[in-house]
Amino acid sequence: MTPPLFLLRPLENFAQFFLWGVGVLDEGLVLRVLGMGVEERAALFGVLSHEERLWLMRALEGFAGNPWARFESDPVGFVERGLGESLWSRQREILEAVRDNKRVAVPACHAPGKTHLAARMVAWWISCHPPGTAQVVTTATTFRQVRNLLWVQIRRLHSKHKLPGETSQVEWKIGSDICGYGFSAPAWDETAVQGVHAPHLLIVVDEAGGISNKLGQSFEALMTGGHTRLVVIGNPPVDIEDSWFERACSSPLYKVLPISAFDTPNFTGETTDLCRSCPPEVQPHNVSTHLVDKEWVDEVVHEFGLDSPFTIARVHAKFPRAAPNKVIPMQWAESAQENDRPASGDEIRLGVDVAADGGDELVIARADGYRVKLVHTSSGLANASAVDVAAKVLEAINEAELIALGRSHKHRVTVKVDGIGVGWGVVGLLQQWGKEGRHRSAIINVNVSRSARSQKFKNQRAEMWWNARQLLMPDPENDNAQQLRLDVDRRTIAQLSSPLYSGDSAGRIVIESKREIKRRSGVSPDRAEAILLAIYEPPGGIVGDAIVPIVIDQTNPWDLSAA
Ligand SMILES: Nc1ncnc2c1ncn2[C@@H]1O[C@H](COP(=O)(O)OP(=O)(O)O)[C@@H](O)[C@H]1O
Ligand SMILES: [Mg+2]
């Protein structure tokens, strides 16, 4: 029997798409087939191959039984009516832009609800398309962001709303089909997404600031298929210039929807609905209580300055013109805050940056293996007295010795003190107190203006900063692993990422002096230098039986290809 003529046209299309291997199944066709009488349907199946028939049947069955299918072209409806959640205006706009545009870029400030929205987008895509036809790929700069931020939300949505299929750590399966997954590809690995295709393909890049060019381009290469969407979301990177994200945000191929802090409800006065995403036990509150607010912006402006790169990126959502020669890009320092796989080691080492004048801080940092934190910060006149400062350091030493004792360490705790100015007196006192039996740690006077161990560096200060750079530099061959974990506050992160380096006439690496940094950025990097001292081993500074690892990398420091 010949099928009625009106059926043939979509059928031709369907068969053609199928043969292309793209497998685009037009939902209009599915709905029409669902509405057909028995005879009509039999006629249609009569002209399909066995494989095509199986495929269509599966799509029909899934689609017919799927209560979410009605939101297929209504992502806002999916979230607001389907999930019963609230959105603020820009979140609605973004969802609609993703429905209507192949490529969408959202350069945004801190906490306007980017990741929150990305999770809903993923749920919409997978739930509302016929099973077996949708595919979502998600990524972010680090795997921790993928697993601990985006996918936590996806899994929560999936279980709360009984969405189709099953989710595990970073994967969503329907039957045996993996219809969504998260990954973070090492910077150079463009093969990570090669060969991904599906009738409906959604790629979500959260925290896009650190995505490499190669990976970004391989996403773009996937955009050739029929119904494909690429959504690129994130904070503009503070100090990486010419990132793939920045290029996407200035490309005419992308629909770009920027969100500055001043566009968000707490600034515009937009009234938001009650939050319906928190658990019911939580007191009723509006969505806006979760979003970036004036207090946060004021703090950032106060801490970093109105036109600092941090403020430009995190508040205004603009791409700062970064200094090209940062010793430690902010991205590295920030991702070390979430590093759950630091290098192994359990030595206890202290670093002491002594306040040089009333304005600076006395800071004591403690490294436990490769996990570092601040154990003391104070400022004020008291820090001008060597005795008072030494007493504070002694407290930190006693605490550190208790930890080492608990681990039955044979070697001593090392305490590295910046011995310039007041520090000189502090070192003398601490060494004296050691002889008197008040502690048994190795007190090391570090004079950072002395010659470094390696001739590549102008002085120990340069070597010390470069050491930290090596320990924080992500290893692209090992999923961007870093050796150091930093349990520190935002101010410390900002200080770590402030110095610039240059070369002197002898080709050695020079790091900006504290004074230059203070003049340029308004802050003295005391917290950063206490950390650096804790993890740095100065040449010839090793006293007694202290066992100290040497971590200076001997590769060519000018080779910045990994940066
Ligand atoms: N529409 C919303 N309803 C309820 N909570 C929201 C909404 N949008 C964002 N949030 C919450 O606001 C906080 C910040 O959002 P998030 O997506 O993490 O911000 P970012 O833009 O930094 O990724 C999170 O706790 C998130 O769950
Ligand atoms: Mg986020």
Side-chain angles (χ1 to χ4, degrees):
M1 182 169 61
T2 321
L5 203 65
F6 76 93
L7 273 174
L8 275 176
R9 199 166 303 126
L11 204 59
E12 276 166 11
N13 286 342
F14 172 53
Q16 205 175 20
F17 280 131
F18 191 84
L19 288 176
W20 280 349
V22 196
V24 170
L25 182 62
D26 178 71
E27 270 76 320
L29 177 61
V30 175
L31 291 173
R32 238 152 98 194
V33 176
L34 284 172
M36 283 175 185
V38 179
E39 268 192 23
E40 268 181 324
R41 210 180 283 181
L44 171 61
F45 275 84
V47 297
L48 296 176
S49 74
H50 176 68
E51 264 174 325
E52 287 165 343
R53 217 175 297 147
L54 280 181
W55 199 76
L56 178 60
M57 276 167 63
R58 200 162 132 228
L60 285 172
E61 195 181 285
F63 203 52
N66 183 0
W68 303 101
R70 68 196 167 102
F71 296 115
E72 189 177 359
S73 50
D74 183 8
V76 173
F78 171 76
V79 178
E80 293 187 333
R81 282 174 283 121
L83 304 179
E85 292 193 330
S86 311
L87 293 167
W88 68 279
S89 57
R90 194 59 65 94
Q91 288 181 321
R92 283 187 212 106
E93 256 173 68
I94 295 170
L95 285 176
E96 278 164 2
V98 171
R99 178 195 56 200
D100 301 336
N101 298 271
K102 219 172 168 66
R103 299 176 187 81
V104 174
V106 183
C109 63
H110 165 80
K114 304 183 285 294
T115 304
H116 183 96
L117 189 68
R120 272 95 197 136
M121 213 179 275
V122 170
W124 163 62
W125 196 266
I126 293 179
S127 306
C128 303
H129 286 117
T133 67
Q135 171 82 61
V136 175
V137 177
T138 79
T139 191
T141 298
T142 68
F143 186 65
R144 295 181 295 278
Q145 292 163 342
V146 175
R147 183 192 54 203
N148 301 352
L149 300 176
L150 183 59
W151 278 83
V152 164
Q153 297 233 24
I154 295 174
R155 290 202 310 269
R156 222 177 266 155
L157 283 176
H158 176 268
S159 88
K160 182 172 167 192
H161 298 281
K162 314 249 173 320
L163 299 176
E166 289 154 47
T167 51
S168 54
Q169 198 181 48
V170 289
E171 204 173 87
W172 188 329
K173 269 180 161 179
I174 298 183
S176 58
D177 255 3
I178 297 175
C179 52
Y181 64 91
F183 79 102
S184 96
W188 89 108
D189 186 5
E190 73 273 41
T191 59
V193 289
Q194 263 170 17
V196 176
H197 60 81
H200 306 284
L201 174 64
L202 171 68
I203 298 171
V204 176
V205 185
D206 191 20
E207 290 307 338
I211 296 295
S212 71
N213 244 321
K214 270 193 175 166
L215 185 56
Q217 282 161 2
S218 60
F219 288 142
E220 277 161 3
L222 296 176
M223 290 295 100
T224 50
H227 186 212
T228 51
R229 293 289 182 265
L230 174 56
V231 186
V232 187
I233 302 177
N235 276 143
V238 173
D239 47 22
I240 297 174
E241 214 167 332
D242 201 25
S243 56
W244 172 69
F245 185 36
E246 180 170 3
R247 256 172 289 145
C249 292
S250 54
S251 157
L253 292 176
Y254 282 78
K255 170 84 181 168
V256 183
L257 297 165
I259 313 177
S260 116
F262 304 108
D263 301 331
T264 63
N266 290 318
F267 292 83
T268 60
E270 171 180 341
T271 15
T272 53
D273 291 331
L274 280 180
C275 166
R276 298 197 186 81
S277 305
C278 286
E281 304 86 74
V282 181
Q283 284 279 318
H285 55 280
N286 283 342
V287 169
S288 57
T289 54
H290 288 294
L291 309 176
V292 60
D293 60 13
K294 193 160 177 305
E295 197 183 330
W296 189 87
V297 168
D298 285 348
E299 235 173 73
V300 165
V301 169
H302 175 74
E303 238 170 77
F304 296 91
L306 256 180
D307 33 54
S308 68
F310 191 91
T311 308
I312 293 172
R314 300 287 159 90
V315 176
H316 297 277
K318 296 244 157 66
F319 292 84
R321 297 274 59 89
N325 49 346
K326 277 270 162 107
V327 184
I328 299 169
M330 183 166 274
Q331 191 105 41
W332 301 2
E334 283 187 328
S335 64
Q337 288 178 294
E338 313 173 338
N339 184 4
D340 43 22
R341 294 178 301 158
S344 57
D346 70 347
E347 271 113 334
I348 305 294
R349 300 182 281 167
L350 298 180
V352 183
D353 191 75
V354 177
D357 60 61
D360 292 348
E361 284 186 309
L362 162 66
V363 186
I364 307 173
R366 185 169 75 211
D368 179 343
Y370 288 87
R371 296 168 183 267
V372 195
K373 63 176 179 183
L374 303 181
V375 291
H376 176 92
T377 59
S378 63
S379 55
L381 279 181
N383 290 336
S385 144
V387 182
D388 290 349
V389 171
K392 286 177 185 161
V393 180
L394 184 62
E395 263 176 52
I397 290 177
N398 292 150
E399 227 175 275
E401 287 182 346
L402 268 180
I403 300 173
L405 195 69
R407 293 180 189 170
S408 321
H409 281 174
K410 299 247 175 344
H411 46 274
R412 294 196 280 167
V413 168
T414 53
V415 185
K416 284 148 286 176
V417 185
D418 170 6
I420 298 172
V422 183
W424 191 79
V426 175
V427 168
L429 276 167
L430 289 170
Q431 286 175 341
Q432 180 58 34
W433 292 348
K435 284 184 199 140
E436 292 167 10
R438 294 177 69 181
H439 69 81
R440 51 180 306 279
S441 298
I443 309 296
I444 302 167
N445 180 0
V446 184
N447 182 337
V448 293
S449 60
R450 295 229 178 101
S451 308
R453 174 185 292 109
S454 157
Q455 298 195 347
K456 292 180 301 196
F457 305 103
K458 175 165 182 235
N459 52 24
Q460 288 181 28
R461 192 181 139 74
E463 187 171 62
M464 179 172 86
W465 274 97
W466 215 262
N467 175 47
R469 175 184 163 90
Q470 301 289 349
L471 292 175
L472 287 168
M473 184 185 285
D475 177 2
E477 297 193 17
N478 183 17
D479 194 21
N480 288 328
Q482 298 172 291
Q483 297 188 62
L484 215 55
R485 177 185 171 94
L486 298 173
D487 292 302
V488 299
D489 59 358
R490 193 169 63 208
R491 197 191 293 187
T492 310
I493 295 295
Q495 292 183 8
L496 279 165
S497 60
S498 80
L500 308 178
Y501 66 85
S502 55
D504 68 5
S505 55
R508 297 174 306 179
I509 290 176
V510 183
I511 308 287
E512 270 185 308
S513 72
K514 254 192 181 181
R515 194 172 304 138
E516 282 166 337
I517 295 169
K518 193 168 176 177
R519 199 183 48 226
R520 186 172 51 76
S521 69
V523 264
S524 172
D526 305 314
R527 295 180 179 205
E529 296 212 345
I531 286 180
L532 264 47
L533 282 163
I535 55 174
Y536 174 61
E537 303 311 333
I542 298 154
V543 182
D545 54 358
I547 296 172
V548 204
I550 290 173
V551 286
I552 301 290
D553 183 288
Q554 293 301 325
T555 53
N556 175 8
W558 294 108
D559 176 11
L560 300 177
S561 51

